[in-house]
Amino acid sequence: MASSQQVRSAPAPDAVPDYDVIIIGAGISGLYQLLKLRELGLRARVYEAGTGVGGTWYWNRYPGARFDSESYSYGFSFSQELLDEWDWSEHFSPQPETERYLNFVADKFDLRRDIQFSARVAAARFDAAARAWTVTLESGESATGRFVVTAVGPLSAPTYPRIEGRDSYQGEAYHTGLWPKHKVTFEGKRVGVIGTGATGVQAIQEIAKTAGHLTVFQRRPNWCTPLHNRPIDSAEMREIRKGYPELFERCRETAACFIHTVDPRGTFEVSDEEREAFYEHLYASPGFGIWQGNFRDMLTDRAANALASKFVARKIRERVKDPKVAEMLIPKDHGFGTRRVPQETRYYEVYNQPNVELVSILETPIERITPKGVKTSEREYEFDLLVYATGFDAITGSLDRIDIVGEDGVKLKDKWRSEGLTTFVGVMIEKFPNLFMDVGPHTALGNIPRSIEYNVEWVADLIGHAHKSGHTYVAARPEAVKEWTEFVAMKGEGLLTNEVDSWMTGVNLNVDGKEKRILARYSGTAPEYRAWCDDVAARGYEELRFD
Ligand code: NAP
């Protein structure tokens, strides 16, 4: 059984694997996948590296972490009972509440009995004769499963900056994505933060409230816009609950599953006054409206994008008192919305505080981390506490960290590195039969739980189909992989987002081999993605080979 402490070889050809399905990860996708597979009567086991459920919302417990999607659009939609029982307390839920929510889900559906915690998967190897995967944990323990579902999330392999001397630093130091469970205080401390992505922005605005002195090391600035969060009282929650069916219907129809939907007008189809009023309205509205609900050409037409960027730049200049600091905070190398837009609450005002200092490491590069702090080309900064908000080896990073070996000894990491990223609907990979990815590369991400629910259900239906028909082998046909990969490329054409370095284009200079942009995501609309996948299922999965 799986509790064996020994590494075992794969089962003999006629042996029954330990589990029908092994799921890697107990975040939003892993939890729901387990539930769906159980409903099919399958024996499923989840291995989770953390000591609790929640994935992203378990690991990212840094100060200020919260949703950037409206809470009620982010929660699971599959259970009316769950929708009835859970009240959100803020329009954009903070991490502790979200972690509580996911624990509530795990308890409500009695999921924990099939989850093994503190169980980081180190390797997964397909045995062609046994038609099963052997999954091995870092502890050496292993188990076999007919099928494997990776539910590892697209942003779950934290990366530290490649800066010399990091280990020499003697103060407190934390990566936001590996934030400790114990309380971290900033009161009176000299704090340094490296990184100003969506995470850094959330952390900085919180840390600045109490830090004795905060130094922010910014490489490339990002375009940030106001979140406009506020509490939800019980009367408002009742209204939200009544509106759930329409809300989820709306999320099904929008391009990226948010409640916001792109405005059908072109930027230059309206008068200057109308355009300005629309930008102002979006800037004053909660959430991602200004990014996801802007004019239809904002992310495809350079001139349209330049106008939106100009508007947000003006807002930054208005909010930051020191003109020099304001200029440092305005991106010059990419247009508004072409990288993930950090959502903020008085982020720009932080730089008006006397205890906060912004250091552009484009102007004065960091030379090394020292025992006392950070040394730039200009001077050494001493800190009591250093925060790395330096992001993730995104999309493929958490898969790369598992030694996944498919048919003919092909290693997944090597395959993608040498041939480029190829998938079938972002779920299957040629040469890796019986392996399915939840929200893997080439899937529609966006408001992620909405994408997850669809993905998980599609994978469960497929596994159910194979199981019911007695098939022990499911593989993507090479021509289907080629077709989907070409479709992803076609959908990425003309998008300004794909012309910019960011995790969304697979670039992470802290990871070897991730210096160049790739088409890591499917950038068509979610409805189109679902239509494609629905069609595959409706035609009996002709694109796959069953045996
Ligand atoms: P990120 O967007 O990749 O930002 C990493 C930051 O670290 C960037 O400012 C980057 O600078 C900087 N950095 C990296 N290596 C560096 C180095 N060697 N020296 C100096 N600076 C360095 O990562 P993130 O902020 O963790 O966000 C990742 C994604 O997580 C977000 O885009 C979002 O999708 C998700 N997220 C979601 C929420 C939410 O929904 N509430 C909150 C937070 C994050 P460069 O830009 O110059 O590379």
Side-chain angles (χ1 to χ4, degrees), residues 88 192 285 319 354 382 407 415-416 421 521 543:
W88 294 102
S285 304
R319 291 173 59 185
E382 294 188 4
E407 285 176 319
K415 177 182 167 67
W416 277 345
L421 204 49
R521 296 173 314 136
E543 286 84 348

Side-chain angles (χ1 to χ4, degrees), residues 62 66 161 196-199 219-220 339-340 361 389 391 503 510:
Y62 60 86
R66 66 170 64 248
T196 54
T199 302
R219 193 161 60 186
R220 286 176 299 162
R339 299 174 97 198
R340 190 343 185 124
I361 57 173
W503 71 260
N510 301 313

Side-chain angles (χ1 to χ4, degrees), residues 163-298:
I163 305 174
E164 238 182 274
R166 195 167 58 76
D167 291 339
S168 72
Y169 177 65
Q170 285 171 0
E172 284 178 87
Y174 308 108
H175 190 292
T176 47
L178 296 167
W179 200 264
K181 284 185 183 162
H182 68 255
K183 188 167 165 55
V184 177
T185 61
F186 304 98
E187 277 79 4
K189 289 181 184 166
R190 298 164 302 169
V191 182
V193 176
I194 302 178
T196 54
T199 302
V201 166
Q202 288 185 333
I204 288 161
Q205 63 201 17
E206 199 55 35
I207 296 169
K209 289 178 184 167
T210 54
H213 193 272
L214 170 63
T215 308
V216 176
F217 295 95
Q218 172 189 266
R219 193 161 60 186
R220 286 176 299 162
N222 283 301
W223 299 100
C224 313
T225 53
L227 181 66
H228 297 299
N229 184 31
R230 62 184 172 81
I232 299 174
D233 63 19
S234 50
E236 191 173 14
M237 191 61 226
R238 272 198 301 279
E239 287 308 304
I240 290 169
R241 186 166 283 125
K242 268 197 248 158
Y244 270 139
E246 295 77 33
L247 175 98
F248 291 123
E249 189 50 42
R250 184 176 173 80
C251 291
R252 256 191 296 281
E253 286 165 5
T254 60
C257 310
F258 291 103
I259 62 172
H260 311 281
T261 190
V262 73
D263 193 281
R265 298 170 298 171
T267 301
F268 301 100
E269 290 168 9
V270 299
S271 68
D272 291 355
E273 292 72 27
E274 266 179 279
R275 186 185 314 118
E276 194 61 17
F278 184 52
Y279 287 157
E280 287 287 359
H281 163 73
L282 292 174
Y283 198 79
S285 304
F288 274 143
I290 194 162
W291 186 31
Q292 296 292 322
N294 215 310
F295 293 113
R296 66 157 201 272
D297 50 1
M298 188 188 74

Side-chain angles (χ1 to χ4, degrees), residues 394-440:
I395 300 185
T396 52
S398 34
L399 294 164
D400 286 350
R401 278 157 179 72
I402 303 171
D403 187 25
I404 302 176
V405 184
E407 285 176 319
D408 306 328
V410 174
K411 281 178 181 264
L412 181 59
K413 188 173 173 174
D414 295 348
K415 177 182 167 67
W416 277 345
R417 289 258 165 132
S418 61
E419 296 170 16
L421 204 49
T422 58
T423 72
F424 176 62
V425 297
V427 172
M428 296 190 71
I429 312 152
E430 195 184 338
K431 290 277 179 198
F432 294 80
N434 296 9
L435 180 95
F436 310 98
M437 298 178 289
D438 285 339
V439 287

